Amino acid sequence: MSFNDEENLYVLLAGLKTKILNRGNTYQYFNFPRAWLMIGLLDEYEKSGEANILANVEQQSEKLIDKDGRLLFKFNKIDQSLFGVVFLRLFKITGHSKYLNATNEIYQLICSDFLLETKQLVLYRKESKVCFVDTLGMVCPFLYEYSELGKCPEASELADKQLDFYIDNAFENETHLPFHAYDLESGLKIGPVNWSRGLGWFLIGLSYAIKYSNQKDKSQNKTFEQLYDTINNKLESLKVKGLFWPQFFGHTNDNSIDTSATLMFYYSRMIASRKVDFKEFNVLLQGSINKKGYVFNSTGDTIYINKYSRQKGYSEITQGLLVSILSNI
C-alpha cells in the first residue's frame, strides 16, 4: 500500500520496530488488504479448482492461526475482522475445525473489545467513540457470513444494526451518500460525502446484507435492496468519461481513476447479484494493469478523517477485488 506523504517514515519506523523487537514474522502488520487478496484467491480457487491456489492461502493462514485455530496476531483493529471471512471460506472449503475456531475467537473479540453495548455499535477503534463508514465494509461481511456458517443469528442482527444506525445518522439526505464518520459524543456528521472509497466500504457492507439477510431499513421505509439501487443509480451519474470513478466525486482537480474505489463498487454489485458488464469492466481498467497483471492507480490508506492519500500505486485490496470479480463474471 502507498501511505500518503508519510509513506517513507511509516515504512522506516515499521522496519525498525520489527528489528528492535526481533520479530521475524511480518504478519503482525497484515491488515485488510492481505485479507481481500486471500478472499480473491479463494474465489478463484472455487472457480478453477487449482490446488496450488488453495495451498498458498492455507500456507499464508499458518502465519495467522495455530493448528487449533488460535489467533497468532493481536486482534486490535476491526479491519482484521476480514480475516474472519477468509477463515470462514477455508472452513467451508476444507471442513477443518481450526478455521471455525478462529472465527469464533474473532466474533468473541469483536463483541468484547469493540462493541459499544449501550448502542450495540461496533467501533472502528475501541478507544474512540466515533462510527466510521469503513467499519461497515469490514465487519458486516464477516458478521453475515459468520451468522450462517457459525449458526449465530445474533451476528446477522448485529450487522443489521450497524447499517441501520449509519443510514439513520450519518447520511446526506439529498444525495443518499454517507459521510466518512459520525461522532457519537457530539452528534456531528464528519468528513466528506464525496470520498469514493468511503462509499465503496458502505456498499460492500450493504451488498452482504442483501445477500445474507435481506432485512428492511424501516427508518427510511426502504429495503436495503432499494437503497442499494438508489445509490447505484446515483453512481452512474458520477462516472468520469462514463467509465470509472476518481478518489472524490464531483468537482475535483483529479479526475483520474481510483481503482480501489472503482473495484469496490463492482465487487458490491457482484455480491448483491447486480449485473456486471464485462466489456465495460474491461475498458475501464485499460491503462491500470501492467504486463504482469498487477493493478495500479489505487489510492493508499486514509490516515484519518479529512486526511486522504495523495499517492496511487499497487494494493493487495485492489488485486484481490479484481480476482474476485473476474472469477465471478
Side-chain angles (χ1 to χ4, degrees):
M1 294 291 288
S2 48
F3 273 90
N4 204 332
D5 42 359
E6 285 95 325
E7 181 184 15
N8 291 334
L9 177 61
Y10 177 88
V11 173
L12 175 63
L13 292 176
L16 288 173
K17 185 177 180 181
T18 300
K19 291 180 181 179
I20 292 171
L21 298 178
N22 193 29
R23 290 174 173 170
N25 294 322
T26 58
Y27 65 79
Q28 286 152 339
Y29 300 104
F30 288 178
N31 213 318
F32 66 89
R34 176 57 56 96
W36 277 122
L37 181 57
M38 295 170 80
I39 291 168
L41 289 172
L42 289 174
D43 278 340
E44 178 59 26
Y45 166 74
E46 291 196 299
K47 174 188 177 183
S48 68
E50 292 184 31
N52 65 310
I53 296 177
L54 178 60
N56 278 332
V57 177
E58 288 207 271
Q59 185 179 26
Q60 288 298 313
S61 73
E62 291 175 2
K63 300 177 183 179
L64 301 169
I65 59 175
D66 66 17
K67 61 182 179 62
D68 297 314
R70 289 186 289 265
L71 300 184
L72 293 174
F73 61 95
K74 187 175 182 180
F75 190 87
N76 57 5
K77 301 177 182 68
I78 204 63
D79 319 36
Q80 295 163 324
S81 59
L82 282 166
F83 282 116
V85 177
V86 175
F87 300 143
L88 284 168
R89 296 288 301 282
L90 283 170
F91 173 68
K92 187 176 181 180
I93 291 169
T94 69
H96 295 162
S97 60
K98 67 177 181 178
Y99 297 122
L100 185 59
N101 293 340
T103 64
N104 289 336
E105 184 177 352
I106 288 174
Y107 180 67
Q108 290 164 8
L109 287 167
I110 289 172
C111 293
S112 63
D113 292 357
F114 292 88
L115 188 64
L116 183 63
E117 292 188 9
T118 55
K119 292 182 178 290
Q120 285 293 290
L121 294 176
V122 177
L123 299 174
Y124 187 66
R125 298 290 183 264
K126 54 187 173 182
E127 68 277 2
S128 178
K129 299 297 187 295
V130 179
C131 292
F132 286 83
V133 72
D134 316 43
T135 305
L136 303 176
M138 294 172 177
V139 77
C140 288
F142 169 69
L143 291 175
Y144 284 121
E145 293 210 353
Y146 181 75
S147 179
E148 184 171 281
L149 266 70
K151 295 179 172 53
C152 178
E154 295 82 5
S156 179
E157 293 169 6
L158 184 60
D160 287 345
K161 288 178 182 177
Q162 310 315 302
L163 290 165
D164 284 337
F165 182 88
Y166 215 88
I167 292 165
D168 287 347
N169 295 278
F171 258 57
E172 205 282 317
N173 293 329
E174 293 183 4
T175 62
H176 297 288
L177 297 178
F179 286 84
H180 186 160
Y182 178 80
D183 190 317
L184 290 166
E185 294 182 334
S186 68
L188 286 175
K189 302 171 184 178
I190 47 182
V193 294
N194 67 331
W195 176 40
S196 57
R197 192 147 132 182
L199 180 59
W201 283 122
F202 176 77
L203 288 179
I204 286 174
L206 192 62
S207 66
Y208 272 83
I210 292 169
K211 180 178 180 179
Y212 284 99
S213 71
N214 199 28
Q215 295 296 308
K216 286 189 175 181
D217 168 28
K218 298 176 182 178
S219 63
Q220 299 278 346
N221 196 30
K222 296 178 180 179
T223 64
F224 284 159
E225 291 208 33
Q226 289 173 325
L227 178 58
Y228 183 93
D229 290 335
T230 297
I231 296 174
N232 207 24
N233 289 336
K234 180 70 175 178
L235 269 177
E236 288 300 305
S237 68
L238 295 172
K239 280 182 175 179
V240 174
K241 300 177 182 178
L243 291 173
F244 56 78
W245 294 272
Q247 184 178 13
F248 294 97
F249 304 125
H251 185 71
T252 174
N253 62 356
D254 180 10
N255 282 316
S256 62
I257 187 173
D258 178 359
T259 53
S260 62
T262 296
L263 291 181
M264 278 181 163
F265 299 148
Y266 275 91
Y267 178 85
S268 75
R269 290 179 181 180
M270 180 189 75
I271 295 297
S273 298
R274 293 324 190 251
K275 182 181 178 181
V276 175
D277 187 318
F278 179 72
K279 289 182 179 179
E280 174 187 282
F281 185 74
N282 186 47
V283 171
L284 72 89
L285 286 176
Q286 296 297 318
S288 293
I289 301 179
N290 68 15
K291 292 181 180 180
K292 293 183 178 180
Y294 294 129
V295 190
F296 52 98
N297 288 330
S298 175
T299 53
D301 268 4
T302 299
I303 305 303
Y304 199 64
I305 303 163
N306 297 327
K307 194 172 185 182
Y308 302 93
S309 174
R310 297 179 187 176
Q311 299 181 10
K312 293 180 181 178
Y314 303 104
S315 167
E316 288 175 311
I317 181 174
T318 311
Q319 199 73 32
L321 290 169
L322 176 62
V323 174
S324 282
I325 294 165
L326 293 178
S327 69
N328 282 278
I329 287 181

